[in-house]
Amino acid sequence: MSGSAHVSNLFIRPEFFKWLAGENLVARYDVPKRSITNAFCKQCGSAVPYLSSNKQWVIVPAGGLNNCPNLKPQDHIFTNEKAEWYKDIDEIAQYPHFPD
């Protein structure tokens, strides 16, 4: 779904979320037989918030926030589906930008 090893999302209750603009530009794809959704802006393709299929949560892609949230990751979900190659990442070289 994401084309990546993971995504960072914030989960909030619907009563604490309000669209200010752009809700009419949201496209949504629900994976058949799964509780996984991909929502994006029809105009620019950016990931956007969406209401979960059980309507209990609004899932907000953290990469779309204007400011850093003042909380740290709390849970990893769907870990039984993680890519085989995504492990022991703290032990490999890390760079702040492209390596020389």
Side-chain angles (χ1 to χ4, degrees):
M1 278 295 291
S2 70
S4 178
H6 56 80
V7 296
S8 297
N9 290 314
L10 301 156
F11 289 64
I12 62 171
R13 295 288 182 188
E15 59 267 23
F16 298 112
F17 180 84
K18 178 181 177 184
W19 280 97
L20 299 179
E23 185 176 8
N24 61 317
L25 295 173
V26 174
R28 178 182 177 118
Y29 175 74
D30 295 308
V31 177
K33 301 178 184 176
R34 299 288 307 272
S35 60
I36 300 172
T37 297
N38 189 17
F40 56 93
C41 174
K42 291 187 266 188
Q43 190 170 34
C44 71
S46 295
V48 295
Y50 63 91
L51 186 62
S52 64
S53 58
N54 66 8
K55 305 202 181 341
Q56 297 290 314
W57 299 100
V58 173
I59 290 75
V60 179
L65 299 174
N66 288 334
N67 299 307
C68 291
N70 51 347
L71 61 122
K72 295 180 181 179
Q74 297 170 333
D75 298 293
H76 287 243
I77 59 176
F78 299 111
T79 55
N80 62 326
E81 298 179 14
K82 74 177 184 175
E84 177 60 32
W85 50 263
Y86 188 73
K87 56 185 174 184
D88 302 326
I89 62 168
D90 290 334
E91 299 173 11
I92 60 175
Q94 298 181 30
Y95 302 92
H97 43 73
F98 280 117
D100 296 329

